[in-house]
Amino acid sequence: MAQICTECVVRDQSLCGSLTDSELTTLNSIGRSRRLGRGETLVWAGDDAVVCANLLSGVLKLSASTADGREQIVGLLYPADFVGRPFAEEAEHSITALTEVELCVFPRKGFEAALENHVHLERLLLRRTLAALDEARARMLMLGRKTAEEKVASFLLDMADHLARNAPPCRTEFELPLTRSQIADVLGLTIETVSRQLTKLKRDGLIDLPSGRQVAIRNRVALKLRAEAA
């Protein structure tokens, strides 16, 4: 595990990046690497919550089921995000890989013990939890107030920020981890509306859609203006 931590590409951005040597040693002793294939589920809603994790690579979706059995995507997790809920006996959401995923997994009970023995670690996790809450509130604002064009533009910028962090600012390219149907689910739109908005942004020269799920942002400033238009 120590070797994994040394080579971890998200260590500086993840929870572990701010840990003391003592705290990191504690997590090293209980952590292990785990990989998920696209479509594989880490935990189902309602199951016993037995693990927590740091997401090292890939994208996970958090989903819930409606009363009539339909899936609703309620959140996305990106590299360096924390996965799971300490001190929760039952998983509230299903957690499924949208891409190939690598995780650093901790047994929930062991992680809870680490939190109780290391106050600094507990505070770091609290800060991340509050930041995630702020992001959820911002998403609620987007869903409730923005137009379809603003929603799609905001979504693409968010994807770029998470998936193309090291790309040159002149041309940011990434592969969407979601289908257009899933994007529509996340944004509260129809798939037809998502497709129309992507086509419009491409026609206006703000993005390219080279093939499949590939997206290239050609004019980030203009795209940001579309996302923030009143």
Side-chain angles (χ1 to χ4, degrees), residues 97-159:
L98 288 171
T99 66
E100 298 291 320
V101 162
E102 184 177 5
L103 298 151
C104 183
V105 177
F106 314 103
R108 181 176 63 82
K109 292 294 186 181
F111 189 80
E112 289 171 356
L115 291 177
E116 292 174 350
N117 293 326
H118 298 277
V119 175
H120 178 240
L121 175 60
E122 187 175 35
R123 289 175 178 171
L124 288 172
L125 182 61
L126 176 60
R127 289 175 188 168
R128 283 184 167 266
T129 302
L130 293 175
L133 179 59
D134 288 341
E135 290 180 5
R137 287 169 173 165
R139 180 169 176 268
M140 289 175 64
L141 175 63
M142 178 183 71
L143 292 176
R145 297 296 182 184
K146 290 195 172 187
T147 66
E149 181 180 53
E150 292 164 3
K151 288 179 181 180
V152 173
S154 296
F155 175 81
L156 293 177
L157 289 169
D158 186 54
M159 288 287 106

Side-chain angles (χ1 to χ4, degrees), residues 41-42 52 70 108 140 212 216 219:
T41 296
L42 177 67
C52 297
R70 291 176 297 170
R108 181 176 63 82
M140 289 175 64
N219 191 331

Side-chain angles (χ1 to χ4, degrees), residues 13-203:
Q13 294 83 40
S14 72
L15 178 68
C16 297
S18 300
L19 298 184
T20 65
D21 289 343
S22 174
E23 292 163 342
L24 192 57
T25 297
T26 298
L27 291 188
N28 282 343
S29 68
I30 62 172
R32 61 183 178 86
S33 178
R34 180 171 176 183
R35 294 180 181 272
L36 299 178
R38 185 190 296 266
E40 190 174 351
T41 296
L42 177 67
V43 62
W44 293 97
D47 284 356
D48 291 341
V50 295
V51 297
C52 297
N54 284 326
L55 180 54
L56 305 183
S57 65
V59 182
L60 294 166
K61 69 175 179 179
L62 305 179
S63 62
S65 295
T66 61
D68 59 1
R70 291 176 297 170
E71 180 191 63
Q72 175 65 50
I73 299 175
V74 297
L76 299 173
L77 297 176
Y78 303 96
D81 282 346
F82 185 79
V83 184
R85 296 181 62 187
F87 306 107
E89 297 293 332
E90 185 177 288
E92 183 177 4
H93 301 113
S94 296
I95 304 174
T96 304
L98 288 171
T99 66
E100 298 291 320
V101 162
E102 184 177 5
L103 298 151
C104 183
V105 177
F106 314 103
R108 181 176 63 82
K109 292 294 186 181
F111 189 80
E112 289 171 356
L115 291 177
E116 292 174 350
N117 293 326
H118 298 277
V119 175
H120 178 240
L121 175 60
E122 187 175 35
R123 289 175 178 171
L124 288 172
L125 182 61
L126 176 60
R127 289 175 188 168
R128 283 184 167 266
T129 302
L130 293 175
L133 179 59
D134 288 341
E135 290 180 5
R137 287 169 173 165
R139 180 169 176 268
M140 289 175 64
L141 175 63
M142 178 183 71
L143 292 176
R145 297 296 182 184
K146 290 195 172 187
T147 66
E149 181 180 53
E150 292 164 3
K151 288 179 181 180
V152 173
S154 296
F155 175 81
L156 293 177
L157 289 169
D158 186 54
M159 288 287 106
D161 288 342
H162 285 99
L163 302 178
R165 289 174 176 168
N166 298 320
C170 58
R171 187 173 178 87
T172 302
E173 298 188 24
F174 57 92
E175 181 178 352
L176 287 169
L178 298 93
T179 64
R180 293 194 180 187
S181 176
Q182 290 172 323
I183 295 171
D185 183 21
V186 169
L187 298 180
L189 301 171
T190 65
I191 186 173
E192 293 81 9
T193 298
V194 169
S195 294
R196 282 197 300 269
Q197 294 303 324
L198 289 172
T199 299
K200 181 181 178 183
L201 292 172
K202 178 182 178 181
R203 185 180 64 241

